[in-house]
């Protein structure tokens, strides 16, 4: 019998249900159909994913890149968002290559996904896919992690600081997807964060527009940098479809820092339109008001001006033409043919220079503590 009627053992803390099993996650992803390569289905991660989605129809495909019912069907444009909600693709990442970057990160690691359940109107990822862009998850995560470990160890220690980080090699692990959303479906993000926890010379890094509280339990121990993407509220309401609100992203910064993440910000993309400077000033003032000093001391930012694409412009006209009123501005943009042959448009050099100077002035006025690591 407990002494004095008191319990000898403190009560166990309440175990909160995983966010990915809750209603908000189901609104983001309510998978009804899976397209999968056979090798992906046969992998441990593939089996884990399918087991979490009982009763979902599975269609085998030869390649996650070539699915005529998705990517080759122009009738899908009107269902752009619906497909992101109810369709999942499982594939195997055959080419494991880490390539140099030097801007946001030292290296771009082979990512664990391609595509996203969110529907940002300016996203560059769907440019190669055609008429649909749901999440493709790569199930050979063990090979991806092993490749990254080998690459990190081959670099040795960073001997000279640079704009990516003064001490650690920085690896972007989410170039073509959003790791926070991937974590709603499987443990790929968790596995990568755990791997970098054991790599003292390197850091993982990923940008996100979705606040997933499950990531707070992954114990990154300072070896993962999360970059919350921010833009003025007016732009986000028009362009950042199905994402966490800007208020939520800013409010989450302290929680992620306290959970062991390095927290940076992507001021991205900067879209030029009437009133853009006033709205950016309001956003930066909110950052200054909301963020505690401990977050400000370690924060840094990347500034990325809008780059758009003719093919994506044409797709967007089929599902979200209002977005193109601000994204497609031929009088202020110039065309550039990309390495894969697609036609990209970006602000002319003179407009870009002047706009970056104005944004830097706004930063110095409203958030002088926010160091800009690079602007592009």
């Amino acid at each position: 019998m407990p002494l004095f009627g008191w319990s000898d053992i403190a009560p166990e803390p309440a175990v909160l249900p995983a966010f990915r099993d809750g209603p908000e996650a189901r609104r983001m992803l309510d998978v009804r159909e899976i397209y999968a390569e056979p090798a992906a289905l046969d992998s441990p991660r593939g089996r884990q994913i399918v087991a979490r989605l009982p009763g979902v129809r599975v269609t085998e495909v030869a390649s996650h890149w070539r699915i005529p019912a998705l990517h080759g069907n122009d009738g899908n444009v009107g269902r752009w968002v619906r497909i992101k909600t109810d369709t999942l693709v499982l594939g195997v990442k055959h080419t494991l290559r880490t390539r140099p970057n030097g801007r946001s990160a030292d290296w771009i690691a082979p990512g664990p996904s391609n595509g996203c359940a969110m529907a940002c109107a300016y996203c560059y990822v769907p440019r190669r896919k055609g008429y649909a862009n749901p999440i493709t998850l790569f199930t050979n995560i063990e090979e991806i992690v092993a490749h990254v470990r080998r690459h990190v160890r081959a670099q040795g220690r960073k001997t000279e600081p640079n704009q990516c980080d003064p001490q650690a090699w920085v690896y972007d692990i989410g170039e073509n997807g959003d790791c926070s959303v991937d974590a709603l479906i499987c443990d790929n993000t968790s596995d990568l964060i755990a791997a970098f926890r054991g790599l003292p010379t390197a850091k993982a890094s990923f940008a996100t527009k979705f606040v997933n509280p499950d990531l707070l339990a992954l114990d990154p121990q300072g070896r993962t940098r999360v970059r919350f993407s921010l833009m003025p509220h007016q732009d986000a309401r028009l362009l950042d479809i199905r994402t966490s609100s800007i208020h939520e992203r800013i409010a989450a910064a302290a929680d992620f820092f306290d959970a062991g993440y390095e927290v940076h910000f992507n001021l991205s993309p900067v879209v030029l339109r009437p009133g853009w400077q006033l709205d950016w000033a309001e956003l930066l003032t909110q950052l200054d008001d909301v963020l505690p000093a401990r977050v400000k001391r370690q924060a840094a930012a990347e500034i990325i001006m809008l780059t758009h694409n003719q093919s994506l412009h044409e797709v967007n006209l089929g599902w979200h033409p209002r977005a193109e009123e601000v994204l497609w501005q031929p009088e202020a943009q110039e065309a550039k043919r990309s390495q894969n042959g697609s036609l990209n448009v970006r602000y002319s050099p003179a407009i870009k220079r002047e706009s970056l100077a104005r944004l830097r002035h706004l930063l110095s006025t409203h958030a002088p503590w926010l160091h800009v690591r690079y602007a592009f």
Side-chain angles (χ1 to χ4, degrees), residues 272 276 305 347-360:
L272 305 182
W276 72 270
M305 302 293 291
Y347 298 121
S348 67
I351 290 174
K352 183 176 179 179
R353 275 195 305 273
E354 181 181 356
S355 302
L356 284 172
R358 291 183 178 184
L359 185 53
R360 285 182 180 273

Side-chain angles (χ1 to χ4, degrees), residues 60-347:
E60 292 193 6
V61 293
S63 168
H64 66 269
W65 274 114
R66 293 186 296 276
I67 306 176
L70 284 179
H71 307 140
N73 180 1
D74 60 4
N76 282 334
V77 171
R79 298 182 59 246
W80 184 264
V81 173
R82 185 74 250 166
I83 288 172
K84 285 174 167 290
T85 307
D86 62 22
T87 303
L88 177 66
V89 180
L90 302 181
V92 173
K93 194 172 189 70
H94 295 288
T95 303
L96 300 180
R97 183 171 69 94
T98 293
R99 68 182 197 277
N101 177 249
R103 289 176 177 163
S104 175
D106 294 291
W107 304 95
I108 305 295
S113 67
N114 186 294
C116 187
M118 297 182 289
C120 301
Y122 49 82
C123 179
Y124 61 85
V125 176
R127 295 174 189 172
R128 294 176 58 193
K129 292 187 178 183
Y131 306 107
N133 183 38
I135 297 179
T136 297
L137 290 173
F138 299 122
T139 64
N140 55 325
I141 188 64
E142 300 92 343
E143 293 176 315
I144 293 171
V145 168
H147 167 90
V148 171
R149 282 196 178 112
R150 288 193 299 270
H151 193 278
V152 171
R153 288 166 179 160
Q155 305 316 306
R157 293 192 173 276
K158 178 183 274 190
T159 58
E160 296 183 9
N162 60 13
Q163 67 181 23
C164 304
D165 193 86
Q167 295 178 317
W169 297 109
V170 179
Y171 287 71
D172 194 317
I173 61 171
E175 181 189 33
N176 292 319
D178 192 303
C179 292
S180 300
V181 178
D182 296 349
L184 298 176
I185 293 289
C186 72
D187 295 334
N188 281 2
T189 299
S190 173
D191 290 345
L192 282 162
I193 290 174
F196 277 90
R197 194 165 57 226
L199 295 169
T201 62
K203 289 179 183 175
S205 177
F206 65 89
T208 186
K209 302 180 186 77
F210 185 70
V211 178
N212 183 347
D214 288 343
L215 272 59
L216 298 174
L218 299 184
D219 190 26
Q221 298 181 14
R223 308 316 304 172
T224 294
R225 172 186 296 164
V226 59
R227 302 170 353 248
F228 286 105
S229 295
L230 302 177
M231 62 170 59
H233 300 278
Q234 179 177 326
D235 289 335
R237 284 192 291 268
L238 177 65
L239 305 174
D240 274 8
I241 309 302
R242 308 191 79 231
T243 64
S244 298
S245 72
I246 298 298
H247 292 292
E248 290 175 296
R249 299 179 215 174
I250 294 173
D255 291 336
F256 274 74
F257 175 75
D258 293 341
Y261 291 88
E262 185 178 45
V263 177
H264 286 191
F265 300 97
N266 279 11
L267 309 183
S268 165
V270 178
V271 178
L272 305 182
R273 53 164 177 79
W276 72 270
Q277 294 177 74
L278 288 174
D279 289 341
W280 274 99
E282 179 184 348
L283 173 65
L284 295 172
T285 299
Q286 181 186 357
L287 264 185
D288 189 51
D289 290 343
V290 171
L291 294 182
R294 63 187 185 279
V295 175
K296 292 178 180 179
R297 281 192 294 268
Q298 55 83 64
E302 303 169 12
I303 302 175
I304 305 173
M305 302 293 291
L306 172 70
T307 297
H308 200 28
N309 174 269
Q310 185 177 37
S311 298
L312 183 59
H313 165 66
E314 293 167 359
V315 168
N316 285 351
L317 289 174
W319 75 275
H320 193 18
R322 282 189 58 233
E324 291 306 300
E325 295 174 11
V326 298
L327 295 178
W328 191 257
Q329 302 177 49
E331 69 282 356
Q333 294 165 328
E334 62 177 15
K336 180 183 178 182
R337 188 70 62 179
S338 69
Q339 291 180 342
N340 64 14
S342 64
L343 187 66
N344 296 337
V345 294
R346 59 189 181 185
Y347 298 121

